[in-house]
Amino acid sequence: MRIYSQLMPIRALTFDIDDTLYDSRPVISRVEQAVILWLLKILPSHLTFDVNSWLKLQQQLVTIDPMLKHDIRERRRKTLKIGLMQLGFRLNEAEVLAQQGIDVVIEMRNQIDIPDETHIVLKELSAHFPLIGLTNGDVDVDKIGLSQYFVEVYYAGRDGLSKPEPDLFNLAKQKFQLPAENILHVGDHLKVDVHGAKQCGFQACWFNDQKQQIPQEPKVNNLPDVEITQLSQLLEVVGIEHSTDIKTYS
């Protein structure tokens, strides 16, 4: 753990979800593979499928409609719909199939094994502080077994622009009814989480479990107030004595 500045009293916490409370990288890989297999299954044999073309289409759609940058599920849906239309499907067929594709994504997206450490830490924290989740992704915290720890979860797209834009942070502040300086945001990304939190007046905890070095990170606009490498270190940050269970992770 590394302290960069004197912390103000902490009265509430906000959390990034993906890559902070669990590792989303293998999950996203499985989602992408499942969508590819689904597409290969539904497409007629005479149609060719090129992953790079679909990625390029997604980038083009974001250029045309920048709001898609902030809504990952709508971005996926629109990419599937337009891509299928480009392959010759009619509008109504493409819309129905695109929703089927999103259903595939949702099913795979929520098949996650949450680390025991995450459950233990969130249980300890939620007994002492109100917690809110702030995510740019679309994982369902209820389906993955984390909703009981949060008073609210705000999603980019549905609830506002994605982090580091201030929308989700401001919603959390309004929900807490607390000064921003008494809220600690915890996240793994220096720009999305640390910069986003600091520009809204929050305190910021950088969850650096990948052993990154700040001087090597591009476009670092703000230092975190504190850096941790294990989620269990949060308990020390907020002044909660480690339980017997949590000591196994230290």
Side-chain angles (χ1 to χ4, degrees):
M1 182 168 62
R2 181 175 296 176
I3 304 294
Y4 293 94
S5 62
Q6 182 66 42
L7 290 169
M8 298 285 288
I10 297 166
R11 299 172 60 190
L13 293 91
T14 56
F15 278 88
D16 171 54
I17 305 296
D18 295 333
D19 294 325
T20 298
L21 300 181
Y22 69 97
D23 185 356
S24 74
R25 288 166 296 184
V27 179
I28 299 303
S29 179
R30 290 196 299 269
V31 167
E32 292 172 349
Q33 186 63 31
V35 172
I36 291 172
L37 292 175
W38 169 79
L39 281 168
L40 291 173
K41 182 178 179 181
I42 68 164
L43 292 178
S45 58
H46 68 278
L47 293 178
T48 58
F49 173 74
D50 179 15
V51 174
N52 290 329
S53 295
W54 286 75
L55 293 174
K56 184 177 180 181
L57 172 60
Q58 181 172 264
Q59 294 168 355
Q60 291 171 340
L61 291 175
V62 171
T63 300
I64 295 169
D65 182 3
M67 289 303 294
L68 291 176
K69 174 185 176 183
H70 303 284
D71 192 333
I72 188 171
R73 185 166 295 179
E74 179 61 16
R75 187 166 72 242
R76 288 193 186 110
R77 188 193 67 78
K78 188 160 287 188
T79 300
L80 286 170
K81 184 183 80 170
I82 301 300
L84 289 166
M85 291 176 67
Q86 289 179 347
L87 290 173
F89 288 86
R90 296 179 179 179
L91 173 61
N92 61 336
E93 294 175 318
E95 288 179 337
V96 170
L97 287 172
Q99 185 55 53
Q100 291 178 11
I102 293 300
D103 292 341
V104 171
V105 170
I106 291 171
E107 180 180 357
M108 295 299 298
R109 187 70 176 85
N110 294 307
Q111 292 182 14
I112 300 171
D113 292 324
I114 301 297
D116 290 341
E117 181 180 14
T118 295
H119 283 288
I120 293 170
V121 171
L122 290 180
K123 183 178 180 180
E124 292 267 9
L125 288 171
S126 62
H128 295 82
F129 303 93
L131 311 179
I132 285 178
L134 308 178
T135 180
N136 287 352
D138 59 350
V139 70
D140 188 325
V141 296
D142 186 43
K143 289 183 179 179
I144 65 174
L146 294 179
S147 60
Q148 68 268 30
Y149 307 119
F150 297 104
V151 297
E152 188 63 79
V153 177
Y154 294 118
Y155 289 85
R158 186 193 74 180
D159 298 314
L161 302 182
S162 58
K163 299 173 295 178
E165 298 297 331
D167 297 37
L168 303 187
F169 294 103
N170 287 337
L171 285 173
K173 179 184 173 183
Q174 293 168 12
K175 181 71 175 181
F176 286 139
Q177 290 291 296
L178 291 171
E181 62 266 25
N182 295 128
I183 304 170
L184 178 68
H185 179 68
V186 184
D188 70 292
H189 200 284
L190 282 168
K191 181 178 180 181
V192 170
D193 291 301
V194 172
H195 173 65
K198 295 294 287 183
Q199 72 176 350
C200 290
F202 286 39
Q203 299 183 89
C205 174
W206 182 32
F207 178 53
N208 181 22
D209 65 330
Q210 299 300 309
K211 298 182 180 179
Q212 302 173 73
Q213 299 295 321
I214 287 180
Q216 298 175 2
E217 295 302 307
K219 300 181 180 179
V220 174
N221 297 308
N222 300 94
L223 284 176
D225 296 285
V226 60
E227 173 186 340
I228 61 173
T229 57
Q230 292 178 289
L231 207 60
S232 59
Q233 293 171 333
L234 265 178
L235 300 182
E236 182 179 348
V237 171
V238 302
I240 298 176
E241 187 173 346
H242 288 193
S243 70
T244 302
D245 290 337
I246 209 67
K247 287 178 181 178
T248 63
Y249 296 99
S250 301

